[in-house]
Amino acid sequence: QVVARFEAERQALAMMNHPHIAKVFDAGATDSGRPYFVMELVGGIPITEYCDKNCLPTRQRVDLFILVCQAVQHAHQKGIIHRDLKPSNILVTLNDGVPWPMIIDFGIAKATHQRLTEKTLFTHFAQMIGTPAYMSPEQAEMSKLDVDTRTDIYALGVLLYELLTGSTPFPTRELLSLGYREMQGTIAEREPPRLSTRLSTMANEERTVVAKNRSVDGSALAKLFRGDLDWIAMKCLEKDRARRYETANALAADIRRHLDCEPVVARPPSRWYEFQKTVRRHKFGFAAAGAVVMALAIGLGVSTWQFVQKNLAFQRASAA
C-alpha cells in the first residue's frame, strides 16, 4: 500500500507543470528495488504560519490564496484531485523576496480520468482518507457518492476560513474529541458559523491576537469580513456540493470581484446590493455627482426662499 501511494504521488506530480506545485525531476528504483523520486526542494513554512508570522493584512492573505486556487485549478485540469489540501501541504517560500506558495504532498491524490499506478490501493473499511478539519462531507461520509474536484473546493473554503479567522470551521481538537460517527455527522450535517460570527463570538484575548496577526484593530475585525467574504467562504463550505463553486478558478474570480468592489456571485444579487457596489466602485464619480446635486439643491432652495420673500413683500405693499 505504501509503495502504491508512493507511485501514485510520483505519477500525479509528473503530470503537472505549474509554478506553484512542487516538480518531479527524476524517478526510478534502486538496485534493491526500492522506488524513489527526486523532487523540488521547497524550503517554506505552512501558509497560515507564514501569514501570521508576517502579520499579513487580509488583502495580502487573499492574494496568496488566489495563487493557491490557480495551482489547484491546474491540477484539476490535469485530472488530479488532491483530497488533502491544508496549510501543512501548502508551503510559502520566498522567490526574489516575493512570497511564493507551493502545493506539496499528492500522496492521496485521485485521478479522475486515468490510473495513477498499476498497483492496487487498499482502503480499509471505515478508513477516512484526508484530514478531518479540512474534509468535505462526501469524504467524511464515505458514501457511494464518488468524490470529485468540488471536494478540493471545500478544502479551499476551510483554508480561506482559517487564513481570515485563525481557526477552521470545526476546530481539529473538537473533532478529534468526538466519536467516529459523531465526527462524520458534524462534518456532514452541522452548519459552521460565518466568518464574522466566529470573530464576533471570540474571547477578547483570542480576538486581539487574531487582529494583531492581520494588522487591524480588533473592533473592526468582524466588520471586515461581514458581507462578501462571509458569502464566498460559506459557498465553498456548502454541504451540497452542487451549491459550491464549480471550479477553483470560479472561486478565485469571485474573490477578485470582491477586491474590485464588484458584485460577487456567492450571494443572490439585489438591486440595493448592486447599487452599493457601484457606488463603492465609482465613489469619486458619485461624490462629484453628489456635490453637484447638493449645490443645485442649495441653489434651488435659496432661489425659492427669495421668491417667497419677494412675493410676501409685494403682498404687503399691495395691502398698504
Side-chain angles (χ1 to χ4, degrees):
Q1 182 180 356
V2 171
V3 172
R5 292 210 180 280
F6 182 91
E7 288 192 1
E9 180 173 15
R10 181 178 68 187
Q11 185 60 28
L13 289 167
M15 291 170 62
M16 295 178 286
N17 182 22
H18 192 276
H20 296 290
I21 297 177
K23 294 180 177 62
V24 167
F25 296 131
D26 192 15
T30 65
D31 293 338
S32 62
R34 185 185 296 274
Y36 71 85
F37 63 84
V38 183
M39 67 183 296
E40 179 180 4
L41 175 64
V42 181
I45 60 177
I47 186 169
T48 48
E49 183 181 335
Y50 176 86
C51 290
D52 288 349
K53 185 178 179 181
N54 292 277
C55 297
L56 295 191
T58 300
R59 176 60 190 255
Q60 293 181 35
R61 288 170 183 258
V62 296
D63 283 342
L64 284 177
F65 180 77
I66 287 173
L67 296 178
V68 174
C69 289
Q70 291 171 347
V72 172
Q73 179 71 25
H74 175 80
H76 290 175
Q77 288 173 334
K78 292 291 185 179
I80 303 295
I81 306 168
H82 191 287
R83 294 203 295 179
D84 198 23
L85 290 169
K86 56 185 178 181
S88 59
N89 285 339
I90 304 168
L91 305 182
V92 177
T93 184
L94 292 179
N95 187 356
D96 291 331
V98 177
W100 200 260
M102 296 288 287
I103 299 180
I104 63 169
D105 195 358
F106 280 78
I108 62 170
K110 178 180 183 297
T112 56
H113 302 304
Q114 64 281 315
R115 290 174 62 87
L116 292 176
T117 176
E118 292 303 315
K119 290 186 169 56
T120 302
L121 284 172
F122 293 99
T123 301
H124 299 295
F125 176 72
Q127 178 189 25
M128 283 186 175
I129 295 182
T131 304
Y134 303 86
M135 194 180 293
S136 66
E138 59 269 25
Q139 269 182 293
E141 285 182 326
M142 294 182 297
S143 64
K144 293 180 180 179
L145 187 67
D146 201 12
V147 300
D148 60 18
T149 55
R150 289 169 294 183
T151 203
D152 281 350
I153 302 300
Y154 183 94
L156 285 172
V158 177
L159 175 63
L160 178 63
Y161 198 106
E162 188 172 9
L163 282 171
L164 297 180
T165 69
S167 65
T168 54
F170 304 117
T172 300
R173 184 177 297 179
E174 177 188 335
L175 287 176
L176 295 179
S177 69
L178 303 174
Y180 182 77
R181 292 297 178 191
E182 198 174 348
M183 180 192 296
Q184 283 183 312
T186 296
I187 297 170
E189 299 169 10
R190 194 170 122 201
E191 289 296 331
R194 293 179 181 270
L195 301 173
S196 55
T197 303
R198 168 61 58 83
L199 289 165
S200 63
T201 55
M202 280 181 179
N204 289 334
E205 291 181 4
E206 185 181 1
R207 190 185 303 114
T208 300
V209 172
V210 172
K212 181 182 177 182
N213 289 341
R214 284 147 188 79
S215 299
V216 68
D217 181 68
S219 60
L221 196 59
K223 295 178 183 177
L224 192 62
F225 305 140
R226 188 173 294 124
D228 288 354
L229 290 174
D230 265 343
W231 297 315
I232 290 171
M234 297 310 289
K235 185 173 177 66
C236 294
L237 299 175
E238 285 281 359
K239 305 299 184 187
D240 179 1
R241 63 183 181 178
R243 294 178 59 83
R244 296 176 205 152
Y245 291 99
E246 285 289 326
T247 65
N249 269 355
L251 167 56
D254 223 13
I255 292 177
R256 287 197 194 92
R257 290 188 193 96
H258 162 68
L259 296 175
D260 295 336
C261 294
E262 296 177 357
V264 298
V265 300
R267 66 162 291 172
S270 65
R271 293 184 182 276
W272 174 242
Y273 173 71
E274 291 184 345
F275 175 74
Q276 286 178 308
K277 283 292 185 180
T278 303
V279 170
R280 289 179 60 189
R281 193 163 62 249
H282 305 290
K283 55 186 176 184
F284 295 110
F286 273 93
V292 171
V293 170
M294 186 174 292
L296 290 173
I298 292 172
L300 181 61
V302 171
S303 299
T304 302
W305 180 78
Q306 289 177 338
F307 174 79
V308 170
Q309 293 300 315
K310 185 178 180 180
N311 192 43
L312 289 174
F314 178 78
Q315 290 177 357
R316 284 195 294 268
S318 298

